[in-house]
Amino acid sequence: MIQSKSLPLTITDLTVMKQRGEKITCLTAYDASFSAVIDKVGIDVILVGDSLGNVIQGHATTLPVTLRDLEYHTQCVAKAKQRTFVVADLPFLGYTTPVLAAKNAGKLLRAGAQMVKLEGAKIDCVKFLVDQGVPVCGHLGLQPQSINLLGGYKVQGKTEQAAQQLLAEALQLQQAGAQLLVLECVPAILAKNVSNQLEIPVIGIGAGVDCDGQVLVLYDMLNIGVGSRPRFSKDFLQDACSIEEAIAAYHQAVKQLNFPTAEHSY
Ligand code: KIV
């Protein structure tokens, strides 16, 4: 395991973990205190996700979250961590053109992110960002920024055609230079196939145990969210004596392939 507490993890370290078959752990965080605990436990990646719109701001969707919100929360997180790799979301309509994507990504990198995440097969944006030196994480499957198009938080890639399209888009993102991919709410068998076919690490949420790593929304896994906990998450605080212990239990469960189980998968 790559366990140095002082040296920040890099995307190269995460890629080596995939090659070695070591699972990558990821949690969302939005502030310095949680960032410090997550870093202390040894979680590999913090995602400053636009899920902050739901769990911090109390919105029904991620759409109201602004670039300024993401910059602010990225600064809070980045100040408190030493080792953990930090990825920040680009906001809804924050990458409608490659130039806008680069302008916004620059602000997130200056705020302390090491990589930016964007939803969908935005191949031109990914290519342009990578050309400008911005590391990119893709996000396929359920894309919460498209919730009004999708008509609900539903499992994606269920038909043969949809599964083929998702795999093709994942390969295109990798080809365009994306170095990490989040797969949300897809059948476990599809996520396994995508993870096997890609050289870059695939981080799943509601995507089964065979992804190269797992991510959960911190407030969901502590069961302190404002809404109901999604089926693919698990209350890790229930059997723990502290938040630190709950996060450590999640870390161990992912590393040892004990989470997610079939009950958290599709
Ligand atoms: O914003 C977020 O927290 C995310 C995760 C659900 C992957 O994108």
Side-chain angles (χ1 to χ4, degrees):
M1 276 190 204
I2 296 160
Q3 281 286 18
S4 165
K5 284 282 172 191
S6 49
L7 280 180
L9 282 180
T10 65
I11 186 59
T12 309
D13 295 322
L14 300 178
T15 309
V16 169
M17 286 167 74
K18 171 171 178 141
Q19 288 160 358
R20 289 184 186 156
E22 182 187 341
K23 297 289 178 185
I24 298 164
T25 54
C26 177
L27 282 174
T28 67
Y30 320 97
D31 68 34
S33 300
F34 277 121
S35 172
V37 177
I38 287 171
D39 190 74
K40 184 177 169 201
V41 165
I43 295 282
D44 302 307
V45 181
I46 291 176
L47 170 63
V48 186
D50 59 1
S51 52
L52 73 87
N54 306 97
V55 298
I56 302 286
Q57 298 174 334
H59 297 299
T61 73
T62 59
L63 275 56
V65 176
T66 64
L67 179 71
R68 185 68 204 107
D69 295 332
L70 286 156
E71 257 186 283
Y72 169 75
H73 288 282
T74 301
Q75 278 166 358
C76 297
V77 163
K79 272 183 206 155
K81 71 94 199 180
Q82 290 182 41
R83 171 186 174 273
T84 312
F85 187 78
V86 177
V87 181
D89 264 337
L90 281 165
F92 176 58
L93 298 184
Y95 43 101
T96 49
T97 66
V99 171
L100 179 63
K103 189 168 162 243
N104 290 342
K107 291 192 177 167
L108 295 177
L109 292 197
R110 284 188 197 103
Q114 290 159 275
M115 176 176 271
V116 297
K117 176 165 81 61
L118 51 78
E119 296 182 10
K122 306 287 179 341
I123 304 304
D124 289 349
C125 281
V126 174
K127 275 192 188 137
F128 190 75
L129 285 170
V130 173
D131 279 352
Q132 309 309 314
V134 177
V136 177
C137 174
H139 181 154
L140 296 177
L142 178 62
Q143 295 161 37
Q145 292 179 2
S146 301
I147 192 64
N148 292 318
L149 272 181
L150 296 171
Y153 294 96
K154 301 171 194 160
V155 181
Q156 304 295 307
K158 285 201 319 196
T159 65
E160 184 56 32
Q161 193 187 357
Q164 289 295 342
Q165 185 178 334
L166 191 147
L167 173 60
E169 290 180 351
L171 288 165
Q172 283 165 23
L173 284 168
Q174 174 175 271
Q175 175 73 25
Q179 290 173 291
L180 202 60
L181 177 68
V182 166
L183 265 191
E184 180 167 358
C185 269
V186 300
I189 185 78
L190 171 59
K192 180 179 182 177
N193 189 22
V194 174
S195 306
N196 287 342
Q197 301 235 18
L198 262 56
E199 284 166 23
I200 62 172
V202 175
I203 311 293
I205 175 165
V209 73
D210 292 309
C211 296
D212 304 306
Q214 299 292 329
V215 55
L216 285 179
V217 171
L218 177 68
Y219 287 49
D220 288 344
M221 59 80 77
L222 297 175
N223 206 11
I224 53 174
V226 284
S228 58
R229 184 162 42 85
R231 167 188 157 171
F232 55 72
S233 193
K234 178 182 167 180
D235 180 355
F236 281 90
L237 191 52
Q238 199 170 31
D239 298 320
C241 295
S242 66
I243 286 174
E244 185 175 324
E245 223 181 88
I247 293 172
Y250 165 72
H251 184 63
Q252 284 305 316
V254 172
K255 292 280 180 192
Q256 293 166 5
L257 278 66
N258 292 328
F259 179 83
T261 62
E263 111 186 64
H264 309 109
S265 309
Y266 302 99

